[in-house]
Amino acid sequence: MHFHLPKPLHGWREFLGEVGIIVIGVLIALGAEQIVETLHWRAEVRDAKSAIRQDMAQSNRVFAYRVAAHECVARRLDKIGDIIEESAQHKAPANVGDIFPDIGNALDKNAWETARAGQVLPHFDRKSLGLYGIYYLQLDNVGEFV
Protein backbone atom coordinates (compact mmCIF):
# COMPACT_ATOMS: atom_id res chain seq x y z
CA MET A 1 0.00 0.00 0.00
CA HIS A 2 1.30 3.44 -0.92
CA PHE A 3 0.68 6.57 1.18
CA HIS A 4 0.91 10.16 -0.05
CA LEU A 5 2.19 12.52 2.56
CA PRO A 6 0.92 16.08 2.41
CA LYS A 7 3.30 18.47 0.76
CA PRO A 8 4.28 21.67 2.55
CA LEU A 9 2.78 24.86 1.17
CA HIS A 10 5.06 26.92 -1.01
CA GLY A 11 4.20 30.59 -0.62
CA TRP A 12 1.32 32.84 0.20
CA ARG A 13 -0.58 32.14 -2.99
CA GLU A 14 -1.04 28.45 -2.15
CA PHE A 15 -1.88 29.32 1.46
CA LEU A 16 -4.56 31.81 0.41
CA GLY A 17 -5.89 29.27 -2.08
CA GLU A 18 -6.29 26.69 0.70
CA VAL A 19 -7.93 29.24 3.02
CA GLY A 20 -10.23 30.33 0.18
CA ILE A 21 -11.35 26.75 -0.38
CA ILE A 22 -12.10 26.39 3.35
CA VAL A 23 -14.01 29.71 3.45
CA ILE A 24 -16.05 28.77 0.38
CA GLY A 25 -16.84 25.37 1.94
CA VAL A 26 -18.01 27.01 5.18
CA LEU A 27 -20.15 29.52 3.26
CA ILE A 28 -21.74 26.72 1.26
CA ALA A 29 -22.49 24.81 4.48
CA LEU A 30 -24.01 27.90 6.13
CA GLY A 31 -26.09 28.64 3.05
CA ALA A 32 -27.35 25.08 2.91
CA GLU A 33 -28.25 25.25 6.60
CA GLN A 34 -30.24 28.44 5.98
CA ILE A 35 -32.10 26.82 3.11
CA VAL A 36 -32.97 23.78 5.23
CA GLU A 37 -34.09 25.99 8.12
CA THR A 38 -36.25 28.12 5.80
CA LEU A 39 -37.90 25.01 4.36
CA HIS A 40 -38.46 23.66 7.87
CA TRP A 41 -40.20 26.84 9.06
CA ARG A 42 -42.31 27.05 5.91
CA ALA A 43 -43.59 23.53 6.64
CA GLU A 44 -44.22 24.45 10.29
CA VAL A 45 -46.15 27.59 9.27
CA ARG A 46 -48.19 25.64 6.71
CA ASP A 47 -49.10 23.01 9.32
CA ALA A 48 -49.91 25.63 11.95
CA LYS A 49 -52.13 27.59 9.56
CA SER A 50 -53.98 24.40 8.65
CA ALA A 51 -54.57 23.57 12.32
CA ILE A 52 -55.61 27.15 13.08
CA ARG A 53 -58.13 27.08 10.22
CA GLN A 54 -59.61 23.89 11.72
CA ASP A 55 -59.84 25.56 15.15
CA MET A 56 -61.48 28.60 13.60
CA ALA A 57 -63.98 26.42 11.73
CA GLN A 58 -64.95 24.74 15.02
CA SER A 59 -65.41 28.08 16.78
CA ASN A 60 -67.36 29.43 13.81
CA ARG A 61 -69.70 26.42 14.02
CA VAL A 62 -70.28 27.28 17.68
CA PHE A 63 -71.12 30.88 16.72
CA ALA A 64 -73.48 29.65 13.99
CA TYR A 65 -75.18 27.41 16.55
CA ARG A 66 -75.59 30.36 18.90
CA VAL A 67 -77.21 32.41 16.14
CA ALA A 68 -79.53 29.51 15.28
CA ALA A 69 -80.41 28.98 18.95
CA HIS A 70 -81.07 32.68 19.62
CA GLU A 71 -84.88 32.41 19.63
CA CYS A 72 -84.82 29.36 21.88
CA VAL A 73 -82.47 31.07 24.31
CA ALA A 74 -84.62 34.22 24.31
CA ARG A 75 -87.72 32.14 25.17
CA ARG A 76 -85.79 30.41 27.97
CA LEU A 77 -84.64 33.74 29.37
CA ASP A 78 -88.23 35.02 29.31
CA LYS A 79 -89.36 31.89 31.15
CA ILE A 80 -86.60 32.30 33.74
CA GLY A 81 -87.61 35.95 34.14
CA ASP A 82 -91.18 34.84 34.79
CA ILE A 83 -89.96 32.34 37.39
CA ILE A 84 -87.97 35.09 39.12
CA GLU A 85 -91.05 37.35 39.15
CA GLU A 86 -93.17 34.56 40.60
CA SER A 87 -90.55 33.89 43.25
CA ALA A 88 -90.51 37.59 44.15
CA GLN A 89 -94.29 37.32 44.75
CA HIS A 90 -93.64 34.31 47.01
CA LYS A 91 -95.22 31.87 44.61
CA ALA A 92 -93.82 28.37 44.22
CA PRO A 93 -91.35 28.43 41.32
CA ALA A 94 -91.99 26.26 38.29
CA ASN A 95 -89.52 23.61 37.18
CA VAL A 96 -86.66 25.30 35.32
CA GLY A 97 -85.75 22.27 33.24
CA ASP A 98 -82.39 21.61 31.67
CA ILE A 99 -79.82 24.38 31.82
CA PHE A 100 -78.43 25.61 28.52
CA PRO A 101 -74.81 24.43 28.11
CA ASP A 102 -71.92 26.85 28.43
CA ILE A 103 -71.01 27.46 24.81
CA GLY A 104 -67.91 29.46 25.74
CA ASN A 105 -66.07 26.24 26.59
CA ALA A 106 -66.56 25.03 23.01
CA LEU A 107 -64.49 27.90 21.57
CA ASP A 108 -61.27 26.28 20.42
CA LYS A 109 -57.86 27.95 20.35
CA ASN A 110 -55.57 24.98 20.93
CA ALA A 111 -53.77 25.33 17.58
CA TRP A 112 -53.10 29.03 18.20
CA GLU A 113 -51.65 28.32 21.64
CA THR A 114 -49.59 25.41 20.28
CA ALA A 115 -48.18 27.56 17.47
CA ARG A 116 -47.41 30.30 19.97
CA ALA A 117 -45.67 27.92 22.38
CA GLY A 118 -43.73 26.29 19.52
CA GLN A 119 -42.37 29.66 18.35
CA VAL A 120 -44.05 29.25 14.96
CA LEU A 121 -45.99 32.54 15.04
CA PRO A 122 -42.91 34.75 14.49
CA HIS A 123 -42.46 32.99 11.14
CA PHE A 124 -45.95 33.94 9.88
CA ASP A 125 -46.21 36.79 7.42
CA ARG A 126 -47.27 40.02 9.14
CA LYS A 127 -50.69 40.23 7.50
CA SER A 128 -51.73 36.68 8.47
CA LEU A 129 -50.34 37.07 11.96
CA GLY A 130 -52.27 40.30 12.43
CA LEU A 131 -55.55 38.84 11.19
CA TYR A 132 -55.22 35.66 13.25
CA GLY A 133 -54.24 37.74 16.27
CA ILE A 134 -57.37 39.89 15.95
CA TYR A 135 -59.55 36.80 15.58
CA TYR A 136 -58.14 35.13 18.70
CA LEU A 137 -58.27 38.37 20.69
CA GLN A 138 -61.98 38.61 19.86
CA LEU A 139 -62.39 34.92 20.73
CA ASP A 140 -60.90 35.65 24.16
CA ASN A 141 -63.24 38.64 24.57
CA VAL A 142 -66.28 36.51 23.68
CA GLY A 143 -65.12 33.81 26.09
CA GLU A 144 -65.10 36.41 28.89
CA PHE A 145 -68.76 37.26 28.30
CA VAL A 146 -70.12 33.74 27.88
Side-chain angles (χ1 to χ4, degrees), residues 28-89:
I28 289 171
L30 290 174
E33 179 186 17
Q34 287 297 312
I35 291 169
V36 168
E37 188 171 338
T38 299
L39 293 174
H40 165 75
W41 283 114
R42 280 187 188 165
E44 290 288 328
V45 167
R46 183 184 63 245
D47 293 345
K49 283 184 177 183
S50 175
I52 286 171
R53 281 192 293 275
Q54 290 174 6
D55 271 4
M56 291 172 78
Q58 168 60 26
S59 296
N60 291 342
R61 284 190 292 274
V62 171
F63 290 133
Y65 176 77
R66 290 186 69 171
V67 169
H70 173 73
E71 293 300 322
C72 180
V73 171
R75 283 193 304 273
R76 272 307 292 263
L77 289 174
D78 288 342
K79 184 177 179 182
I80 291 171
D82 293 342
I83 292 171
I84 291 171
E85 288 296 323
E86 290 172 2
S87 295
Q89 297 171 3

Side-chain angles (χ1 to χ4, degrees), residues 2-10 14 18:
H2 184 70
F3 290 100
H4 293 282
L5 296 175
K7 297 179 183 177
L9 295 176
H10 297 288
E14 285 186 43
E18 294 292 328

Side-chain angles (χ1 to χ4, degrees), residues 63-136:
F63 290 133
Y65 176 77
R66 290 186 69 171
V67 169
H70 173 73
E71 293 300 322
C72 180
V73 171
R75 283 193 304 273
R76 272 307 292 263
L77 289 174
D78 288 342
K79 184 177 179 182
I80 291 171
D82 293 342
I83 292 171
I84 291 171
E85 288 296 323
E86 290 172 2
S87 295
Q89 297 171 3
H90 302 290
K91 295 181 181 177
N95 187 1
V96 176
D98 292 334
I99 303 296
F100 198 74
D102 178 16
I103 295 176
N105 290 332
L107 300 176
D108 196 2
K109 60 180 188 173
N110 292 335
W112 176 257
E113 294 297 332
T114 300
R116 192 161 104 187
Q119 300 295 313
V120 179
L121 295 182
H123 298 277
F124 279 36
D125 61 283
R126 288 185 185 271
K127 183 178 179 182
S128 295
L129 183 59
L131 292 173
Y132 288 138
I134 290 169
Y135 179 87
Y136 282 102

